[in-house]
């Protein structure tokens, strides 16, 4: 991370600090569970998003490295119809298979302790509040499983 001259970056968070200060709310009760269920139901073999669109917060190439490390590089599919190149992007345009994307995110959820902090519920609203000079948000959450008429 780059800081302005004289600024001190915040210290990195430990896994315990994350577990004690972060709450992940998912209507399906697990990290990306609804997403996985939808992709399975629709039999989607490959994502449309490029391989750098994932949830690793530190390295946009982490999924690519994961595939190479696991000997699954062939599951990063090159899209031949997208072959434009310019000064800012040298390609290739590759999308991951759903299977490797799921395995990668399972690994991330356990590595970062996310699976341990997922609560079943839905976010009802997020409202800004001002406390002293710090901007905060009030988040209203309905905990528990949605009724069948609320599911998508």
């Amino acid at each position: 991370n780059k800081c302005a001259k004289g600024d001190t970056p915040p210290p990195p968070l430990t896994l315990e600090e994350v577990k004690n200060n972060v709450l992940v709310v998912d209507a399906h009760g697990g990290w990306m569970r609804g997403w996985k269920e939808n992709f399975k139901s629709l039999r989607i073999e490959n994502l449309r998003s490029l391989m750098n669109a994932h949830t690793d917060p530190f390295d946009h190439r982490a999924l690519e490295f994961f595939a190479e490390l696991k000997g699954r590089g062939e599951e990063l599919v090159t899209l031949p119809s997208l072959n434009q190149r310019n000064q800012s992007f040298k390609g290739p345009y590759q999308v991951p298979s759903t299977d490797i994307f799921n395995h990668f995110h399972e690994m991330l959820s356990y590595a970062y302790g996310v699976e341990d902090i997922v609560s079943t519920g839905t976010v009802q609203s997020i409202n800004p509040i001002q406390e002293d000079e710090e901007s905060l948000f009030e988040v209203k959450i309905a905990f528990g499983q949605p009724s069948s008429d609320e599911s998508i």
Side-chain angles (χ1 to χ4, degrees):
N1 290 339
K2 293 186 177 185
C3 295
K5 188 174 182 177
D7 284 350
T8 303
L13 294 173
T14 66
L15 188 54
E16 278 308 307
E17 288 172 313
V18 170
K19 286 181 177 182
N20 292 331
N21 293 292
V22 174
L23 173 67
V24 175
V25 179
D26 185 280
H28 300 274
W31 180 251
M32 297 179 63
R33 186 171 295 156
W35 185 92
K36 291 175 187 175
E37 290 170 0
N38 290 339
F39 267 58
K40 184 177 180 179
S41 295
L42 296 170
R43 297 185 184 123
I44 298 173
E45 293 181 18
N46 297 308
L47 278 67
R48 291 186 312 170
S49 303
L50 298 180
M51 65 182 169
N52 60 354
H54 54 70
T55 62
D56 187 293
F58 298 107
D59 190 347
H60 72 279
R61 295 186 64 196
L63 175 56
E64 177 184 0
F65 297 141
F66 178 80
E68 289 174 11
L69 179 70
K70 298 295 183 181
R72 297 173 65 181
E74 74 282 353
E75 292 185 59
L76 301 175
V77 180
T78 301
L79 300 175
S81 59
L82 292 175
N83 57 11
Q84 75 185 49
R85 300 282 189 265
N86 62 34
Q87 290 178 344
S88 63
F89 185 79
K90 304 297 183 209
Y93 289 95
Q94 290 182 303
V95 297
S97 72
T98 299
D99 191 51
I100 194 146
F101 189 82
N102 286 343
H103 287 149
F104 174 69
H105 283 90
E106 287 169 16
M107 180 273 303
L108 284 180
S109 74
Y110 290 105
Y112 290 118
V114 173
E115 199 61 42
D116 298 335
I117 58 174
V118 176
S119 291
T120 303
T122 55
V123 174
Q124 302 297 303
S125 65
I126 302 174
N127 299 303
I129 57 174
Q130 191 72 32
E131 191 170 296
D132 297 323
E133 293 188 23
E134 187 174 3
S135 294
L136 301 172
F137 295 90
E138 177 184 58
V139 180
K140 292 186 180 177
I141 301 169
F143 288 99
Q145 292 285 349
S147 64
S148 60
D149 60 335
E150 293 177 294
S151 298
I152 23 182

